[in-house]
Amino acid sequence: MNLGSGYLTFDQLRAMMSSLPFDITFADGDDTVRFFSEGPDRIFVRTRAVIGRKVQNCHPQKSVNVVNKILADFKAGQRDVADFWLNLGPKMVYIKYIALRDSQKRYIGTLEVTQDIAPLRELEGEKRIYDAL
């Protein structure tokens, strides 16, 4: 597959997606879930049954109005990013929605990135690459 900045095989791309240290979910321009990464430590469990469903159905009812507002702002070009964070037990969950646009700046979907940042918040000082060897 030609990805513009390089070439990957399907197997390479699949391995990369399942090895990311964060979760991603993609909903297309019609708010339909088309993809999610399947890493071993997903924060919000997803089953393949969500593929083809509206993204609004993947959120608690009390937050659907906010999700719809974010998507409307993305579609109208009023914003490109929405992020927030919450505590879930020992996890500090950071969630970032990113509007995806084509080369003509037309909205084509939303990427949701979710990560437990609790371990990152505990980092101090520095660790050089050679320190890991």
Side-chain angles (χ1 to χ4, degrees):
M1 289 186 250
N2 181 348
L3 299 174
S5 60
Y7 297 85
L8 296 172
T9 67
F10 174 79
D11 286 339
Q12 291 167 334
L13 183 58
R14 187 176 193 171
M16 286 173 56
M17 290 292 136
S18 64
S19 299
L20 294 172
F22 46 82
D23 305 334
I24 61 172
T25 301
F26 169 71
D28 68 16
D30 294 321
D31 305 339
T32 302
V33 177
R34 296 294 176 194
F35 173 83
F36 64 91
S37 59
E38 296 184 285
D41 300 314
R42 278 200 65 89
I43 294 170
F44 299 114
V45 176
R46 300 232 193 286
T47 68
R48 292 184 180 177
V50 303
I51 302 298
R53 290 188 184 170
K54 292 297 183 184
V55 71
Q56 292 85 345
N57 295 331
C58 298
H59 293 84
Q61 188 60 39
K62 65 182 179 182
S63 66
V64 170
N65 286 340
V66 175
V67 170
N68 284 334
K69 172 68 172 137
I70 292 168
L71 294 173
D73 287 351
F74 284 178
K75 292 172 184 177
Q78 294 175 338
R79 70 187 310 175
D80 290 316
V81 173
D83 63 345
F84 50 99
W85 46 94
L86 51 114
N87 292 301
L88 288 178
K91 296 178 180 178
M92 169 62 82
V93 179
Y94 177 70
I95 302 167
K96 186 172 191 173
Y97 294 156
I98 304 164
L100 302 180
R101 303 189 187 283
D102 66 14
S103 60
Q104 280 76 47
K105 305 292 185 199
R106 291 180 296 225
Y107 174 79
I108 58 172
T110 296
L111 182 67
E112 176 191 66
V113 181
T114 307
Q115 183 177 15
D116 176 10
I117 60 168
L120 299 177
R121 295 178 77 203
E122 295 177 9
L123 294 177
E124 293 182 1
E126 61 182 40
K127 179 179 180 181
R128 301 288 179 132
I129 191 167
Y130 289 111
D131 293 344
L133 300 177

